[in-house]
Amino acid sequence: MSEAGMNIVIGGAAGQGLATIGRLMSKAVVRAGYHLLVTQKYMSRVRGGHNTFAIRMGPEPVYGPTESIDILVALNQETVDKHRGRLAEGGLVLAGDDLDIGDLNALRIPFKELASKPLFYNTVALGVLAATVCNDETILEKLLDETFAKKGDKVVEMNVDVVRAAFDWVRGQEFNFTCLAPPEEDGGMMMVNGNEAIALGALAAGCNFVSFYPMTPGTSVATTLIAKGAPLGLVYEQMEDEIAAVNIALGASYAGARPMVTTSGGGFALMTEGVSLAGVSETPVVITVAQRPGPATGMATRTEQADLDLVLYAGHGEFPRAILAPADVEQCFYLTHLAFDLAESFQTPVFVLTDQHLADSYQGVAPFDLDDLPDVARPMREAEEGYKRYALSEDGVSPRLVPGFGRALVRADSHEHDETGWITEDGMNRVVQNSKRLDKAFGLEDEVVEPDYYGEDAPDVLLVCWGSSLGACLDAMEKAENGKTMAVLHFSQVYPLCESLFMDDLEKAGTVVAVEGNATGQFAKLITRETGFSINNHILRFDGRPLTPEYVLAGLNGII
Amino acid sequence: MVSMEDYGDVQTSWCPGCGNFSILKSVKTALAEMDIAPHEVMIASGIGQAAKTPHYLNCHMFNGLHGRSLPMAQGMKMANPDMPVLCISGDGCSYGEGGNHFLAAIRRNLDITLLVHDNQIYGLTKGQASPTTAEGHVTKVQPSGVRSRAFNPMTTAVAMKTGFVARAFSGEPDHLVSVIKEAMAHPGFSLVDILQPCVSFNKVNTFAWYQERTYFLEDHDPTDWAKAMGVADEFDERIPLGVIYRNDRAPYPLDRQLAVHEYDRNDLKGVMQSYT
Ligand SMILES: Cc1ncc(C[n+]2csc(CCOP(=O)(O)OP(=O)(O)O)c2C)c(N)n1
Ligand code: SF4
């Protein structure tokens, strides 16, 4: 443990309720004013197996997940056996007295003594953990009240009693552990995970339609949209398959809805023909693709960044697109909001490319400020006589009308068509319409989100990363003890790229290292394709686990 | 008053003598007789000869992908429930490539009308078997005859208790017009399977073949499910035309036009607040 933060890992079998403990503890930590980052690892099963819920907390912002553990809450023996090697110096194990933990620094929790029924063992663990890290007990009590209010006062009371007993018990123990200094500012932050933030960004952008076919880790974007949006008027439908999910969204978009489609790689593979339809028919749609390891079903609940190529090339024929890849929860919100504006402004598919690690990663963030958000483009509300859906224009963008406003007819087509939407195979028209669509790419390039640069100018080592890998790179830069100057260049928009925004940074660096969560360096290759600059050093992780500073530093050792 | 002429008179790319012409004219007639103006109806279609129909009509239309007209039509309806939605396609598009969507659309029961031009063959791709091609029917790519049993859209739809199930024939345009009107008036998913000769590629199920076999249903109670199953199963020496089955299951509930739906800012702020 350092001044800067502490890493708590709760481990156990699926069905033991560790996510509940983790979520409540995280919220208590956020309410106490700490920054936090949650990394959830779970197996593709409903009961049993081995899952972990890691909470990295600190008085200052924390970025990536980390390997070393300051407090290990072990709900079963497997947790102790698997993670004992990762305990930091002075690390503490919280475990029931029935587990074999050898001579590790530990607090043995008397579950039976602190709770009358096994039903409350979770609350015991939560109370002991909160007390150990010196969390304020009233925060937890209030949280239990909010969480169990629906189940009645009695349930709330019983849980609160258990937490009080746990706090009292911890106070009476002698053990070797020091709490983090409390943060200076307190509370007022939101606790949201990546997928929730995407859903909230969509709602803030006026998204009023979601279609999907369930696939981890994309599903929870839809779940959140429905839970929070349906009471406000959002229309939603679980479709018979992903092909239907994207096509219904396009139909809805044509008729005036602002749709989002959520999926993961395997589901997205099925949607590619629909993506192409969005391209030729110039129908706005935002698609969230939450990556998990492939090929095919791969590892359902693990993480990877290997679907960049899929999303980049999805759909036959040529048409413009934008791909946004948020680094953290905050970017999930703001970039999704932007995605809706881009989709409407350029009448083309826009993607939010995320991954399991970010999807499930809770963070404490400053409340999303709706008043500060720019307006999102909208289709027009009236048309002049002789309206043409695909009218030619300087920038390739035609005025978009939706049916229901006046007498002008809106005719959309998957075939090559003329300005009116009429199907035609005329060669000249083909060239004109195809060029018109491709012209929109110039506008999209003007709107590209600038990559973020952290660290020294002209460094010895420049780490280039995209999407959720930012945290691990920033931490690695901070922790590096190799005597080199370092910097991080992060892309939260991976397509299109705009050379002028980053070429200098690449050229000025001594050694450029691409850090990605895939096996083939897809983003590094994209940079080469777009700029001619080749990146020859790679730190690639594709074991289904998120990048960590430890992993990046170990990789760097082999390079410099 | 809306007239047929309002729907335009467009040059088509269909073969002379094709059953599609009569269906196109019947759609225009039905819309005009229902007093629906071109800007008051949306039409979705897939890909195939039949699916080109909306191109030959003045109307709001989205001509989408092969097999995917139903998901698209449903999205159009969900976004704008105030406007009638027609979905027009071929038997290959609707029952083959789009088979899964056909089943789901029946179950979902949105208020849209599906018109299937059923020529028992693939027209646009030049004569391969479709799901409704009869067993044993020889085609260029099924030289020893189709080995699969033909799909019967009527029995399937009735078995699934589809809200409105009817069969019509392009050779009986007056009847077809009245069935389309009835189908559009039905509040919920309605299916009209329209027998249609393909003069270029289906030399078995010709105009005469259909004419000889089809007859109008009389004294049939379409609300009697068990009887309807029997009628739906008739497709050999005699083929019934008319409303085979109907029920009054409530359609998928929809109440807002998404193009004009805006969230209340305070509600949105409340949503954000729920995460603190
Ligand atoms: C995904 C896809 N697969 C195949 C095709 C090629 N295709 C175009 S029309 C068609 C069949 C059309 O048959 P049907 O739906 O019966 O319509 P018809 O032409 O007979 O009216 C096929 C296979 C396509 N356009 N898209
Ligand atoms: S191929 Fe058949 S279905 Fe198509 S237009 Fe010609 S006759 Fe009609």
Side-chain angles (χ1 to χ4, degrees):
Chain A
M1 186 173 88
S2 68
E3 294 280 298
M6 141 165 42
N7 193 29
I8 302 166
V9 172
I10 307 162
Q16 276 190 306
L18 81 167
T20 314
I21 304 176
R23 265 198 303 271
L24 284 167
M25 185 62 209
S26 301
K27 194 120 193 179
V29 162
V30 169
R31 289 223 176 143
Y34 292 98
H35 291 265
L36 115 156
L37 173 86
V38 167
T39 307
Q40 293 193 62
K41 292 184 186 164
Y42 50 97
M43 300 177 81
S44 186
R45 52 191 288 178
V46 176
R47 290 200 177 270
H50 179 67
N51 297 350
T52 59
F53 190 105
I55 305 171
R56 215 185 136 193
M57 58 185 274
E60 301 291 327
V62 285
Y63 303 113
T66 184
E67 312 268 351
S68 93
I69 300 172
D70 300 296
I71 294 189
L72 179 65
V73 182
L75 299 181
N76 62 8
Q77 187 64 41
E78 194 175 3
T79 303
V80 181
D81 300 340
K82 277 211 155 125
H83 300 286
R84 59 188 311 148
R86 282 171 52 194
L87 271 178
E89 224 180 272
L92 177 72
V93 180
L94 304 182
D97 36 23
D98 54 330
L99 299 188
D100 173 15
I101 56 166
D103 56 359
L104 296 174
N105 178 24
L107 247 191
R108 311 307 298 261
I109 311 172
F111 281 101
K112 288 198 182 108
E113 188 185 309
L114 295 173
S116 51
K117 282 187 255 173
L119 185 64
F120 294 108
Y121 286 4
N122 268 333
T123 313
V124 171
L126 178 65
V128 170
L129 173 60
T132 308
V133 301
C134 313
N135 200 271
D136 183 340
E137 115 185 56
T138 56
I139 294 181
L140 209 53
E141 286 171 17
K142 181 149 185 292
L143 270 176
L144 290 171
D145 186 34
E146 289 168 24
T147 311
F148 296 114
K150 270 194 230 127
K151 296 192 177 172
D153 292 347
K154 186 93 184 112
V155 177
V156 173
E157 208 178 291
M158 288 192 292
N159 277 286
V160 167
D161 284 348
V162 170
V163 159
R164 284 194 184 140
F167 264 80
D168 287 343
W169 177 79
V170 172
R171 283 189 197 108
Q173 300 301 304
E174 280 201 15
F175 62 104
N176 186 9
F177 191 77
T178 2
C179 294
L180 279 183
E184 307 221 324
E185 37 188 316
D186 60 41
M189 293 208 286
M190 296 171 83
M191 187 181 92
V192 238
N193 66 30
N195 273 1
E196 288 170 344
I198 288 172
L200 296 180
L203 286 176
C207 165
N208 55 17
F209 185 91
V210 64
S211 51
F212 68 104
Y213 185 83
M215 185 168 184
T216 307
T219 315
S220 55
V221 176
T223 317
T224 309
L225 266 172
I226 294 166
K228 301 291 176 180
L232 313 186
L234 171 119
V235 173
Y236 56 93
E237 186 67 8
Q238 175 179 326
M239 298 306 292
E240 54 272 23
D241 57 31
E242 286 84 353
I243 297 174
V246 69
N247 280 282
I248 193 173
L250 295 180
S253 182
Y254 162 84
R258 180 163 299 203
M260 173 167 259
V261 179
T262 73
T263 189
S264 178
F268 184 68
L270 284 175
M271 292 184 186
T272 54
E273 194 196 19
V275 170
S276 196
L277 173 60
V280 72
S281 66
E282 307 196 40
T283 308
V285 65
V286 177
I287 305 179
T288 296
V289 181
Q291 299 165 100
R292 69 191 222 190
T297 311
M299 294 199 282
T301 60
R302 305 290 176 176
T303 200
E304 196 163 83
Q305 293 183 293
D307 293 338
L308 172 59
D309 283 347
L310 172 68
V311 174
L312 184 62
Y313 298 109
H316 50 294
E318 299 166 301
F319 54 92
R321 74 188 72 202
I323 310 174
L324 302 164
D328 54 26
V329 160
E330 213 157 65
Q331 288 192 359
C332 282
F333 178 83
Y334 292 103
L335 291 178
T336 303
H337 183 269
L338 173 68
F340 280 90
D341 184 53
L342 292 176
E344 182 63 47
S345 299
F346 298 98
Q347 300 173 26
T348 206
V350 174
F351 304 93
V352 179
L353 184 57
T354 173
D355 55 44
Q356 180 272 328
H357 163 58
L358 181 54
D360 291 327
S361 174
Y362 286 97
Q363 281 170 32
V365 292
F368 301 135
D369 191 348
L370 296 177
D371 297 323
D372 269 2
L373 291 172
D375 286 337
V376 176
R378 286 166 195 286
M380 59 184 192
R381 290 285 167 86
E382 55 190 302
E384 287 169 13
E385 185 95 22
Y387 170 76
K388 293 179 190 155
R389 173 65 190 92
Y390 301 116
L392 299 177
S393 69
E394 195 95 321
D395 55 3
V397 180
S398 312
R400 189 170 92 101
L401 184 72
V402 302
F405 296 91
R407 302 181 75 89
L409 298 180
V410 185
R411 302 171 63 80
D413 197 1
S414 68
H415 299 91
E416 191 52 89
H417 44 254
D418 66 11
E419 289 182 273
T420 68
W422 173 254
I423 174 174
T424 169
E425 292 181 19
D426 180 86
M428 254 328 276
N429 174 76
R430 159 69 181 178
V431 171
V432 167
Q433 280 292 327
N434 205 34
S435 307
K436 175 196 112 67
R437 290 188 294 268
L438 291 172
D439 278 349
K440 296 190 289 182
F442 297 110
L444 269 173
E445 277 163 32
D446 288 341
E447 308 274 316
V448 161
V449 181
E450 193 168 343
D452 286 310
Y453 190 91
Y454 305 84
E456 301 261 348
D457 200 30
D460 297 329
V461 180
L462 177 68
L463 303 178
V464 176
C465 60
W466 62 282
S468 76
S469 304
L470 173 66
C473 290
L474 288 180
D475 279 340
M477 173 169 80
E478 245 166 52
K479 288 188 182 161
E481 289 170 347
N482 48 27
K484 309 271 185 190
T485 54
M486 293 196 36
V488 174
L489 177 64
H490 175 264
F491 290 79
S492 54
Q493 176 157 9
V494 288
Y495 193 81
L497 293 175
C498 184
E499 259 184 75
S500 62
L501 298 176
F502 61 87
M503 268 317 281
D504 258 12
D505 299 328
L506 292 180
E507 275 161 0
K508 281 200 284 190
T511 306
V512 178
V513 183
V515 182
E516 302 185 52
N518 59 53
T520 55
Q522 295 183 14
F523 185 63
K525 284 185 188 150
L526 177 59
I527 288 195
T528 308
R529 187 191 96 169
E530 298 286 303
T531 67
F533 184 95
S534 54
I535 300 179
N536 302 316
N537 302 290
H538 303 270
I539 296 173
L540 303 171
R541 183 161 201 177
F542 51 97
D543 58 1
R545 277 65 182 165
L547 278 151
T548 58
E550 291 88 344
Y551 191 94
V552 176
L553 289 171
L556 264 185
N557 274 339
I559 293 170
I560 52 172
Chain B
M1 274 302 289
V2 178
S3 78
M4 246 183 82
E5 285 70 42
D6 293 337
Y7 280 92
D9 187 10
V10 180
Q11 183 94 45
T12 79
S13 58
W14 291 326
C15 314
C18 172
N20 283 333
F21 291 103
S22 150
I23 304 178
L24 172 64
K25 194 168 164 212
S26 301
V27 170
K28 285 185 195 176
T29 312
L31 289 169
E33 286 181 8
M34 292 184 86
D35 212 24
I36 298 171
H39 67 281
E40 292 170 337
V41 58
M42 295 190 283
I43 306 189
S45 73
I47 296 296
Q49 297 284 54
K52 288 181 186 160
T53 305
H55 270 294
Y56 308 142
L57 285 161
N58 273 334
C59 61
H60 294 297
M61 64 122 210
F62 197 160
N63 181 191
L65 298 171
H66 187 52
R68 317 302 169 200
S69 56
L70 274 173
M72 176 170 283
Q74 293 171 91
M76 284 152 70
K77 187 73 192 180
M78 283 179 140
N80 188 348
D82 297 346
M83 231 185 250
V85 174
L86 279 176
C87 182
I88 304 187
S89 228
D91 44 313
C93 188
S94 303
Y95 307 137
E97 188 92 51
N100 188 22
H101 309 313
F102 175 68
L103 301 181
I106 290 175
R107 293 178 47 228
R108 204 170 281 124
N109 201 29
L110 273 138
D111 181 14
I112 59 180
T113 297
L114 171 64
L115 305 181
V116 181
H117 300 213
D118 189 352
N119 53 15
Q120 301 186 258
I121 204 84
Y122 282 7
L124 190 59
T125 47
K126 301 197 163 73
Q128 304 83 6
S130 92
T132 52
T133 308
E135 214 172 330
H137 184 139
V138 175
T139 77
K140 230 191 291 176
V141 288
Q142 282 88 15
S144 40
V146 171
R147 299 218 168 104
S148 302
R149 175 169 303 163
F151 175 75
N152 180 338
M154 298 290 99
T155 47
T156 305
V158 175
M160 291 181 72
K161 301 200 164 125
T162 307
F164 183 98
V165 186
R167 171 168 271 145
F169 170 40
S170 67
E172 296 287 356
D174 293 344
H175 178 254
L176 173 56
V177 169
S178 75
V179 171
I180 293 174
K181 282 160 64 179
E182 239 185 295
M184 288 188 71
H186 174 80
F189 183 82
S190 46
L191 165 68
V192 185
D193 186 73
I194 309 166
L195 300 174
Q196 167 233 336
C198 168
V199 293
S200 298
F201 298 111
N202 191 337
K203 306 293 182 195
V204 177
N205 311 105
T206 60
F207 188 86
W209 190 94
Y210 288 125
Q211 207 173 30
E212 263 165 41
R213 288 164 174 77
T214 51
Y215 71 96
F216 293 118
L217 280 170
E218 275 166 42
D219 299 327
H220 169 63
D221 175 8
T223 62
D224 184 333
W225 182 79
K227 289 238 173 72
M229 267 322 270
V231 173
D233 198 36
E234 263 183 74
F235 196 86
D236 37 50
E237 290 317 305
R238 284 171 61 74
I239 304 173
L241 300 180
V243 182
I244 292 177
Y245 176 70
R246 69 186 314 159
N247 66 37
D248 53 9
R249 180 182 160 214
Y252 188 108
L254 292 171
D255 57 8
R256 64 188 73 86
Q257 236 192 312
L258 296 184
V260 292
H261 182 79
E262 302 280 343
Y263 296 136
D264 182 300
R265 210 152 174 86
N266 284 326
D267 286 350
L268 270 187
K269 286 186 174 170
V271 168
M272 303 299 154
Q273 213 113 57
S274 68
Y275 285 89
T276 52

